[in-house]
């Protein structure tokens, strides 16, 4: 899988050289960099895509996500606002807008976007329930937060939801349940650690060659 991922990036990079004006290629490169947390490089690729196609909604969302990844929250918010205007019914735009507002502790402002996203048939409802749980916790409504988060637990692929669950149980004064949730969070995280360890894209050499794997 790692080898396929590296080869796919090299192919995209070569396509970018051959088609420098292709917004789709720049978008896919941006996605690759984002997945590997190379957010600065992702920003550059998304900007190239939007320069050619300003109404490219997926690239706009990618740019907002990349700005958020490097801590430029104000720029992320501005791009998310533009994305919401471009796609008022797009659930991903609504979710991203909500998450950025939550990062700014603007929980009341985030709630309408989460409600809108949850009404969409195209949304990842479990993700929205987890986000709504965080809002409710911030508002001091731990019992309601627990009910929301329990709906999202089947989709916990990195342990973060169970960690969130442990915090809720701690707030509710149930240390045994909190400890059990934390243990499950650690189990999930450890189980998936090796599955999510692709070679950083920065390890691809400038001439697009892939370094040899260590023997």
């Amino acid at each position: 899988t790692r080898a396929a991922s590296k080869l796919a990036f090299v192919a995209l990079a070569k396509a970018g050289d051959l088609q420098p004006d292709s917004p789709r290629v720049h978008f896919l490169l941006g996605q690759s960099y984002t997945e590997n947390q190379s957010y600065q490089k992702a920003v550059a690729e998304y900007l190239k895509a939007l320069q050619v196609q300003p109404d490219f909604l997926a690239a706009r969302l990618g740019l907002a996500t990349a700005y958020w990844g490097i801590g430029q929250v104000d720029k992320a918010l501005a791009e998310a606002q533009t994305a919401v205007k471009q796609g008022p019914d797009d659930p991903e735009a609504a979710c991203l807008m909500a998450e950025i507002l939550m990062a700014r502790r603007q929980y009341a402002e985030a709630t309408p976007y989460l409600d809108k996203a949850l009404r969409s048939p195209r949304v990842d409802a479990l993700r929205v329930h987890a986000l709504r749980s965080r809002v409710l916790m911030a508002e001091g409504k731990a019992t309601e937060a627990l009910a929301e988060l329990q709906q999202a637990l089947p989709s916990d692929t990195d342990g973060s939801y169970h960690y969130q669950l442990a915090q809720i149980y701690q707030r509710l004064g149930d240390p045994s349940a909190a400890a059990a949730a934390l243990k499950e969070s650690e189990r999930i995280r450890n189980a998936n650690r090796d599955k999510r360890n692709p070679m950083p894209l920065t390890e691809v050499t400038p001439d697009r060659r892939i370094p040899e794997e260590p023997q």
Side-chain angles (χ1 to χ4, degrees), residues 102-124:
M102 289 165 63
R104 293 164 59 93
R105 302 182 185 277
Q106 295 176 248
Y107 299 107
E109 293 87 344
T111 298
Y113 290 103
L114 292 176
D115 292 342
K116 175 186 283 189
L118 197 57
R119 290 193 296 269
S120 171
R122 297 184 291 121
V123 76
D124 178 357

Side-chain angles (χ1 to χ4, degrees), residues 19-182:
Q19 304 177 62
D21 295 327
S22 170
R24 182 67 178 172
V25 170
H26 289 301
F27 166 73
L28 292 173
L29 279 167
Q31 291 290 88
S32 295
Y33 281 126
T34 298
E35 289 171 4
N36 285 268
Q37 299 182 5
S38 299
Y39 296 117
Q40 290 282 11
K41 293 182 179 181
V43 165
E45 295 297 335
Y46 290 131
L47 285 172
K48 289 176 184 177
L50 289 167
Q51 185 176 8
V52 179
Q53 186 179 336
D55 63 347
F56 195 163
L57 179 58
R60 185 74 60 186
L61 291 171
L63 180 59
T65 301
Y67 275 138
W68 192 13
I70 56 178
Q72 296 187 12
V73 180
D74 289 341
K75 287 186 176 181
L77 178 60
E79 295 299 334
Q81 288 171 331
T82 301
V84 167
K85 291 178 181 177
Q86 288 181 341
D89 298 321
D90 187 271
E92 280 300 316
C95 279
L96 182 58
M97 186 71 178
E99 288 186 273
I100 294 172
L101 289 170
M102 289 165 63
R104 293 164 59 93
R105 302 182 185 277
Q106 295 176 248
Y107 299 107
E109 293 87 344
T111 298
Y113 290 103
L114 292 176
D115 292 342
K116 175 186 283 189
L118 197 57
R119 290 193 296 269
S120 171
R122 297 184 291 121
V123 76
D124 178 357
L126 301 184
R127 173 189 174 198
V128 178
H129 284 302
L131 293 173
R132 283 162 62 100
S133 176
R134 286 173 50 196
V135 169
L136 289 165
M137 272 292 285
E139 295 173 345
K141 302 174 182 177
T143 301
E144 293 92 330
L146 176 61
E148 288 284 347
L149 185 58
Q150 285 174 330
Q151 299 179 69
L153 292 179
S155 66
D156 188 4
T157 58
D158 61 4
S160 61
Y161 290 173
H162 279 84
Y163 183 84
Q164 187 177 337
L165 182 64
Q167 293 177 314
I168 295 175
Y169 278 130
Q170 195 69 40
R171 179 78 63 87
L172 290 171
D174 191 340
S176 296
L182 188 60

